[in-house]
């Protein structure tokens, strides 16, 4: 922490169980191109010139893997919650003192399961979050539609497939997450709490095709191919 300077903080989420990949260990510790998925995601933030403190959210049972991926990095490690939002709140509470002191002005929250995020996308989300109060990456997709239980409803508006990192001004983000905890509100991603508990109009910035999330086993193969083609 550089005393007297306001910085952005990075939160990298690895507190899930990776069930859908169906492997014996948490998906974020599986190797791609010789390194754990999480090592790639962490590096994007720990080495980024625009990011100060980095908080990694993990599961207690992953302690041995955590030591491997954080070796040599200046990363704060906290235990996550039973939901993604609970894990995000744990990280925000780790940063609360610095947020309330004005030392951390913006927080970017990233899925540890997205190992291919670029430094440029981190910088773009950081800029937009500071300019608008909140920003998330989105991939424009003409082939998305609204779906009810039985019907597909074509739409004229463009939909975007959201990605991470999702960035927000830190003080309203922390307040929104504490309100959500008090009221028992659980959203689908970080923007959910912001939309419900603040008047921030979240902007979107162009996402990246390469910024895939490791969700199923085949995503590991895709990510490896992308890394090999760089
Ligand atoms: N309680 C949780 C749940 C998810 N995550 C993190 O949020 C990111 C995106 O979530 P997802 O891809 O759904 O991961 P998992 O919940 O681990 O996957 P699954 O649903 O297949 O178990 C992941 O990096 C995951 O580690 C987290 O930190 N805490
Ligand atoms: C937050 C997220 O990564 C935005 O794309 C995504 O919603 C979380 O992953 P999940 O597979 O939907 O749980």
């Amino acid at each position: 922490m550089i005393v007297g300077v306001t910085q952005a903080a990075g939160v990298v989420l690895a507190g899930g169980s990776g069930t859908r990949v169906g492997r014996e260990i948490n998906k974020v510790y599986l190797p791609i191109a010789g390194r754990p998925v999480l090592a790639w995601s962490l590096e994007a933030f720990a080495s980024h010139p625009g990011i100060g403190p980095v908080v990694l959210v993990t599961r207690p049972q992953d302690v041995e893997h955590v030591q491997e991926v954080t070796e040599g990095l200046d990363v704060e490690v906290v235990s996550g919650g039973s939901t993604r939002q609970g894990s995000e709140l744990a990280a925000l509470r780790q940063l609360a003192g610095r947020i309330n002191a004005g030392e951390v002005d913006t927080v970017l929250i990233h899925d540890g399961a997205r190992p291919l995020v670029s430094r440029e996308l981190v910088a773009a989300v950081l800029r937009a979050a500071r300019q608008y109060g909140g920003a998330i990456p989105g991939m424009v997709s003409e082939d998305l539609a609204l779906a009810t239980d039985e019907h597909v409803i074509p739409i004229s508006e463009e939909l975007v497939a959201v990605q991470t990192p999702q960035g927000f001004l830190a003080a309203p983000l922390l307040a929104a997450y504490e309100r959500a905890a008090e009221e028992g509100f659980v959203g689908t991603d970080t923007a959910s709490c912001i939309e419900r508990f603040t008047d921030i109009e979240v902007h979107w910035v162009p996402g990246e095709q390469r910024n895939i999330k490791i969700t199923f086993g085949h995503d590991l193969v895709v990510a490896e191919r992308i890394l090999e083609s760089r």
Side-chain angles (χ1 to χ4, degrees), residues 13-20 27-28 81-84 87 111-113 213:
L13 299 173
S17 53
T19 312
R20 287 170 286 179
K27 64 185 180 183
V28 295
S82 59
T83 64
R84 188 181 189 279
S87 291
D111 296 333
K213 184 165 70 71

Side-chain angles (χ1 to χ4, degrees), residues 12 37-47 54 56 69-70 73 75:
V12 179
V37 165
L38 184 55
W40 295 97
S41 311
L42 266 182
E43 181 180 55
F45 286 82
S47 67
V54 175
L56 172 62
V69 296
T70 58
L73 295 181
V75 171

Side-chain angles (χ1 to χ4, degrees), residues 13 20 27 84 88 111 114 137 161-164 166 188-190 213-216:
L13 299 173
R20 287 170 286 179
K27 64 185 180 183
R84 188 181 189 279
E88 293 170 312
D111 296 333
R114 290 181 186 269
V162 298
Q163 299 178 339
T164 69
Q166 301 186 7
T188 54
D189 65 10
T190 315
K213 184 165 70 71
I214 306 299
T215 304
F216 302 101

Side-chain angles (χ1 to χ4, degrees), residues 30-212:
L30 292 170
I32 52 172
R35 297 174 70 203
V37 165
L38 184 55
W40 295 97
S41 311
L42 266 182
E43 181 180 55
F45 286 82
S47 67
H48 199 285
I51 300 293
V54 175
V55 178
L56 172 62
V57 185
T58 67
R59 299 187 308 172
Q61 60 264 52
D62 292 333
V63 62
E64 287 181 19
H65 298 293
V66 173
Q67 286 166 352
E68 178 193 348
V69 296
T70 58
E71 190 173 353
L73 295 181
D74 181 13
V75 171
E76 302 169 43
V77 180
V78 299
S79 290
S82 59
T83 64
R84 188 181 189 279
Q85 187 172 309
S87 291
E88 293 170 312
L89 179 58
L92 290 172
R93 285 176 172 168
Q94 172 72 11
L95 292 165
R98 285 164 278 183
I99 292 171
N100 294 333
E103 295 167 6
V104 168
D105 71 323
T106 307
V107 177
L108 269 59
I109 300 181
H110 184 60
D111 296 333
R114 290 181 186 269
L116 304 183
V117 62
S118 72
R119 292 159 67 98
E120 292 77 13
L121 182 57
V122 171
V125 171
L126 178 54
R127 273 194 308 275
R130 282 182 166 143
Q131 183 174 358
Y132 301 112
I136 61 178
M139 293 297 294
V140 173
S141 176
E142 288 73 25
D143 58 1
L144 292 179
L146 293 180
T148 65
D149 291 346
E150 296 175 347
H151 304 102
V152 174
I153 305 166
I155 53 162
S156 55
E157 297 85 359
E158 275 187 333
L159 289 180
V160 291
V162 298
Q163 299 178 339
T164 69
Q166 301 186 7
F168 304 91
L169 291 179
L173 180 66
L174 175 61
Y177 269 70
E178 293 293 0
R179 277 282 306 279
E182 286 166 18
E183 298 187 15
F185 170 79
V186 179
T188 54
D189 65 10
T190 315
S192 307
C193 287
I194 284 289
E195 184 183 20
R196 187 180 180 91
F197 296 111
T198 79
D199 56 4
I200 290 173
E201 291 188 351
V202 180
H203 278 57
W204 68 272
V205 298
E208 296 173 329
Q209 289 286 357
R210 56 176 275 173
N211 187 26
I212 65 169

Side-chain angles (χ1 to χ4, degrees), residues 215-228:
T215 304
F216 302 101
H218 62 256
D219 297 319
L220 293 160
V221 178
V222 173
E224 200 136 59
R225 292 291 177 277
I226 293 171
L227 283 169
E228 288 165 357

